[in-house]
Amino acid sequence: MSTDLFWQTLENAQPQLQKMEIRDVMETINTLLEPRFPKLAAELQGRDEDGVYDLIITAHGATEHFQDVMTLTRSAPKLALFPNVIAFRARAEMGEFGINMDNFSLNPADILVSHYADAGRVGLQLWFAKPIPQDMIDHARHMSFILLDHALGEYDFAIKIGPVEFMEDEPAQETVSLATFPAVLDAFWRDELKHTALFPTGEYEWTGFELVSNTDPDDKLLVQRNESAMSLVGRADMLWRVQVDVVLDHKDDLEAAREFEDQLETLLAQTQEGITSQITLHGNVRSMNWHVSDIETALAKAHKLAQNFPPLEFDISSEFDPQWQDYLRWVS
């Protein structure tokens, strides 16, 4: 069923929901959500003095369902009972926050964190700051992931964090408690990894390299990567990748393909809707890639522009790529 039908059903249910307790409201919304978006869930932040809720749509960190989260929240109408519809669980104020399960408790101060750069993302090493009974280690590790999700927020944990390792030896490097790590992550993401979220201005900086097959020395992939696009990695409105492939059969085709690329880049960059991420050449196939904010608009512009470049035949496709995996695969 469409997102519009879900929102219409929820809108019609508001008079009944307004009379319910928050737990019952949330259960009712999830009952409405389940047949339409079975991998998503709704959470509520409590009523304020006006008697309204913030409605949070979550995929429980599963990036393969983040597109559904974005589609659903972007299509939300203005609802009297739920005026704010929010994509993903936000960071929680850790403070005294903790988890108790099966007579075992864990709080942010019990988890020590060290971090490092990992292919454009952030790898974590974790230590427990208190003794953990042997039969509770797996339990404690599971609880740690829950605390990480709350401390960093659903989106940042899923998009910005790479491998997470639980360490046994005493840490040889500097660590911080999980309670203070979010600020450390933000600074490292911005200052060290250069993911500033600021759209680059001026001339782009490019890196070029060649990859050769291990089995066939004539099988080569030429890569040009826009290093300036690194600033936008992880930005919550740059989640889609557009790829345009074109076969270069004639000597003038490369020049025409480059002109197409320049014109589409201008159309997208002048409104900061998208940026060229990388270009590859494999055999006689040139692949041009952009990361964009509005996939439907970007695809429409690409298809319309392609009509101006006969007889080239462009294969225009898209992929939901919130982690910029295609772009970061070349980062060591």
Side-chain angles (χ1 to χ4, degrees):
M1 295 183 181
S2 71
T3 57
D4 291 342
L5 183 55
F6 166 76
W7 290 120
Q8 185 63 55
T9 304
L10 182 58
E11 184 173 21
N12 294 339
Q14 287 182 109
Q16 291 74 35
L17 296 175
Q18 199 163 24
K19 303 172 185 176
M20 297 180 182
E21 296 295 326
I22 185 171
R23 181 182 297 273
D24 297 327
V25 174
M26 191 161 61
E27 289 180 356
T28 301
I29 296 174
N30 279 297
T31 299
L32 297 176
L33 193 62
E34 199 279 334
R36 300 165 175 83
F37 296 95
K39 301 300 182 179
L40 305 186
E43 299 179 357
L44 298 175
Q45 290 184 343
R47 291 191 187 194
D48 61 15
E49 60 275 9
D50 297 322
V52 300
Y53 299 98
D54 286 341
L55 173 58
I56 298 127
I57 304 298
T58 173
H60 298 303
T63 55
E64 63 268 27
H65 303 300
F66 275 19
Q67 184 172 2
D68 288 338
V69 174
M70 300 302 295
T71 298
L72 190 59
T73 53
R74 287 180 174 182
S75 65
K78 196 69 173 179
L79 300 174
L81 192 57
F82 312 103
N84 299 313
V85 179
I86 302 167
F88 311 115
R89 284 190 298 266
R91 293 180 179 182
E93 289 291 337
M94 299 311 286
E96 300 299 320
F97 183 87
I99 302 177
N100 291 278
M101 291 184 178
D102 298 334
N103 297 318
F104 178 79
S105 64
L106 200 68
N107 64 60
D110 297 326
I111 302 173
L112 302 178
V113 185
S114 177
H115 65 283
Y116 59 93
D118 182 81
R121 301 173 74 198
V122 182
L124 303 183
Q125 293 179 325
L126 305 182
W127 289 262
F128 292 114
K130 70 176 185 179
I132 307 296
Q134 189 64 34
D135 62 345
M136 295 299 293
I137 289 179
D138 288 343
H139 200 54
R141 289 176 175 177
H142 173 69
M143 294 167 70
S144 298
F145 277 101
I146 296 174
L147 287 170
L148 276 167
D149 181 272
H150 281 78
L152 304 181
E154 179 181 4
Y155 183 85
D156 281 0
F157 187 27
I159 300 300
K160 298 180 179 180
I161 302 302
V164 178
E165 304 171 87
F166 289 92
M167 313 302 291
E168 296 182 0
D169 296 335
E170 289 294 318
Q173 60 271 60
E174 182 180 355
T175 63
V176 298
S177 77
L178 180 57
T180 60
F181 178 66
V184 175
L185 171 65
D186 291 344
F188 186 76
W189 186 260
R190 179 187 65 245
D191 301 333
E192 299 298 326
L193 298 183
K194 306 304 181 184
H195 305 322
T196 63
L198 300 176
F199 205 94
T201 59
E203 293 293 324
Y204 293 157
E205 178 184 349
W206 290 85
T207 297
F209 50 92
E210 179 182 86
L211 302 175
V212 181
S213 169
N214 292 328
T215 57
D216 182 1
D218 293 325
D219 185 8
K220 300 177 180 180
L221 178 69
L222 301 179
V223 180
Q224 293 175 287
R225 186 177 65 204
N226 182 3
E227 298 296 336
S228 299
M230 192 69 73
S231 65
L232 300 179
V233 169
R235 212 171 88 165
D237 63 343
M238 288 283 179
L239 305 178
W240 285 267
R241 180 174 63 87
V242 171
Q243 179 168 323
V244 181
D245 297 335
V246 61
V247 177
L248 307 178
D249 285 329
H250 305 95
K251 64 178 182 179
D252 295 331
D253 289 350
L254 178 57
E255 183 178 351
R258 285 173 171 168
E259 181 61 26
F260 169 89
E261 173 197 323
D262 289 343
Q263 290 189 27
L264 185 55
E265 173 65 20
T266 298
L267 289 172
L268 295 174
Q270 66 187 357
T271 54
Q272 298 191 2
E273 295 175 83
I275 189 170
T276 307
S277 55
Q278 64 187 16
I279 303 162
T280 63
L281 181 66
H282 188 211
N284 66 338
V285 178
R286 184 177 176 87
S287 298
M288 300 161 278
N289 293 269
W290 287 263
H291 253 271
V292 303
S293 58
D294 186 330
I295 187 59
E296 293 181 0
T297 298
L299 287 174
K301 289 182 177 181
H303 281 288
K304 183 177 180 180
L305 182 61
Q307 297 174 7
N308 299 334
F309 288 85
L312 291 182
E313 294 186 6
F314 296 95
D315 181 10
I316 301 173
S317 60
S318 64
E319 179 186 22
F320 187 70
D321 186 13
Q323 294 175 311
W324 290 59
Q325 290 181 319
D326 189 72
Y327 177 75
L328 292 178
R329 60 181 163 147
W330 314 119
V331 178
S332 61

